[in-house]
């Protein structure tokens, strides 16, 4: 990253100029580090994803806020993952990603690095702020980007019992110290770097989602 700004805008000839994102949403993504697109996926897409992941074998996590997790379904069972592949590569979600991320080197289009499905265990419990590691982003730190992590809720989500918290602009150089602190482990941040943990919590936004939002 150049000074912590991984989301530097690619040249216009490397990204799609038309798609579901408005110019204001594209600007929001690069400025804030994320963007929420309401009703980007239709009911057919979300129903197909739910049915696909329900049929998959998942890892049971008895001591986690998540009931089960499935990672890498598209890579492990490509012949059975048509619903996931269609959403990842041919849906409005893929079209939106093409507006902010350049084509992968050596590819004519985008490359899907990974996929993950999480089933939460009711209410209660949470994960602290963190940066996804190589399990979710299997690429070198200096890989060209930006990469896009698309979060697709398959049930309505509120700030209670499963919400997603984001820290706007934490992709910038102002938060490089937070990334160093997070290397000690997400469960230890409040103890090892309480001021950084407090700064992230103060910046946090916890939006609500309906099925189809991304």
């Amino acid at each position: 990253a150049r000074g912590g700004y991984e989301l530097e805008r690619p040249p216009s000839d490397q990204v799609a100029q038309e798609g579901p994102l408005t110019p204001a949403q594209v600007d929001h993504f690069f400025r804030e580090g994320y963007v929420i697109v309401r009703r980007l996926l239709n009911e057919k897409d979300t129903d197909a994803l739910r049915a696909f992941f329900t049929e998959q074998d998942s890892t049971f996590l008895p001591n986690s806020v998540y009931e089960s997790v499935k990672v890498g379904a598209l890579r492990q069972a490509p012949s059975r993952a048509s619903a996931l592949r269609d959403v990842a590569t041919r849906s409005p979600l893929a079209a939106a990603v093409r507006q902010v991320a350049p084509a992968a080197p050596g590819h004519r289009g985008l490359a899907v690095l990974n996929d993950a499905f999480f089933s939460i265990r009711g209410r209660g419990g949470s994960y602290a702020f963190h940066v996804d590691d190589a399990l979710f982003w299997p690429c070198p730190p200096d890989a060209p980007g930006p990469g896009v992590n698309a979060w697709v809720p398959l049930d309505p989500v509120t700030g209670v019992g499963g919400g997603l918290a984001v820290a706007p602009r934490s992709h910038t150089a102002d938060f490089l110290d937070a990334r160093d602190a997070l290397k000690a482990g997400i469960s230890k941040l409040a103890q090892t770097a309480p001021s950084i943990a407090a700064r992230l919590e103060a910046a946090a936004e916890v939006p609500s989602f309906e099925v189809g939002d991304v």
Side-chain angles (χ1 to χ4, degrees), residues 26 28-29 35 52 115 118 172 198 205 209:
V26 173
H28 190 282
F29 175 79
V35 65
F52 169 73
D115 60 87
F118 298 89
T172 67
E205 294 183 3
F209 292 86

Side-chain angles (χ1 to χ4, degrees), residues 66 69-72 75 112-118 130-139 148-149:
Y66 293 109
V69 173
K70 177 66 177 180
V71 178
R75 181 177 63 254
V112 179
L113 291 180
N114 214 343
D115 60 87
F117 172 76
F118 298 89
H130 61 279
V131 175
D132 286 340
D133 58 20
L135 172 66
F136 298 100
W137 284 95
C139 64
V148 177
N149 192 340

Side-chain angles (χ1 to χ4, degrees), residues 1-8 170-177 179:
R2 293 187 290 273
Y5 288 87
E6 286 89 343
L7 294 187
E8 288 185 350
S170 57
H171 64 295
T172 67
D174 292 340
F175 283 86
L176 285 177
D177 58 340
R179 299 185 205 183

